[in-house]
Amino acid sequence: MPKHEFRLTADWFGGRGGEGRIATGNLVTKVSIPEDMKGPGIGTNPDEMMIGAAATCYIITLAAMLERKKIPVRDLTLETVGIVNVEITGQKFESITHRPKVVLHHDVTVNQMEEARKATEVAEKRCMISNAIRGNVALAVEATVIQEK
């Protein structure tokens, strides 16, 4: 079975309050601890990258599923919220909730509307990132599927 290898390089300057840089493929960015977690807030951080990975995996999986089912999508958007509990020792990434909004063309069938609703749930279960963190982070989908007027 073929495998794909991803590589990332990182540099870090300073201690906990320092900053760093990561590079992998098309992603090159500064990183640090967020300001609201008592860091310098420079660039992105592991928490944003975690929800970024989960969100992009989810929306790509959902888009592919809708395309395979030949469901005519007018617009597909997503808001993803990650919750980190900073009150416990060591901090814990508790949950990720995806809130997709799927707008279908005006001439879709009732069956296509239902298939799109199901796809919003199934996409989370098929997403590689969700499957990597399932059991350690609570995952949820709160979808809106509507038909354009």
Side-chain angles (χ1 to χ4, degrees):
M1 182 172 188
K3 296 181 181 183
H4 184 85
E5 184 176 84
F6 292 91
R7 290 179 179 255
L8 180 140
T9 59
D11 297 305
W12 189 260
F13 309 99
R16 184 185 184 286
E19 67 179 86
R21 183 184 67 84
I22 61 167
T24 179
N26 292 319
L27 176 63
V28 177
T29 189
K30 291 181 179 182
V31 293
S32 73
I33 295 172
E35 279 187 75
D36 58 354
M37 295 173 122
K38 299 185 174 123
I42 297 167
T44 190
N45 58 70
D47 309 295
E48 290 173 343
M49 289 191 298
M50 173 75 91
I51 67 167
T56 54
C57 181
Y58 174 81
I59 200 165
I60 291 168
T61 303
L62 178 57
M65 290 178 65
L66 294 169
E67 180 182 63
R68 274 194 305 276
K69 293 178 179 292
K70 297 183 178 15
I71 297 173
V73 176
R74 174 75 172 100
D75 194 32
L76 176 58
T77 58
L78 177 65
E79 174 189 43
T80 296
V81 177
I83 303 294
V84 174
N85 186 338
V86 296
E87 296 297 320
I88 61 175
T89 304
Q91 303 177 4
K92 171 138 176 52
F93 211 111
E94 288 189 338
S95 67
I96 295 176
T97 302
H98 299 298
R99 294 185 180 124
K101 182 176 180 184
V102 183
V103 180
L104 303 176
H105 283 266
H106 69 281
D107 58 352
V108 295
T109 66
V110 172
N111 186 49
Q112 287 174 315
M113 288 285 291
E114 185 55 32
E115 285 294 314
R117 279 188 195 90
K118 286 180 191 174
T120 63
E121 295 293 328
V122 174
E124 187 276 320
K125 291 169 180 50
R126 291 191 181 160
C127 167
M128 175 178 67
I129 302 299
S130 293
N131 289 331
I133 62 175
R134 190 178 321 285
N136 192 43
V137 176
L139 302 166
V141 175
E142 298 171 357
T144 301
V145 178
I146 59 174
Q147 192 174 2
E148 72 180 349
K149 305 259 186 230

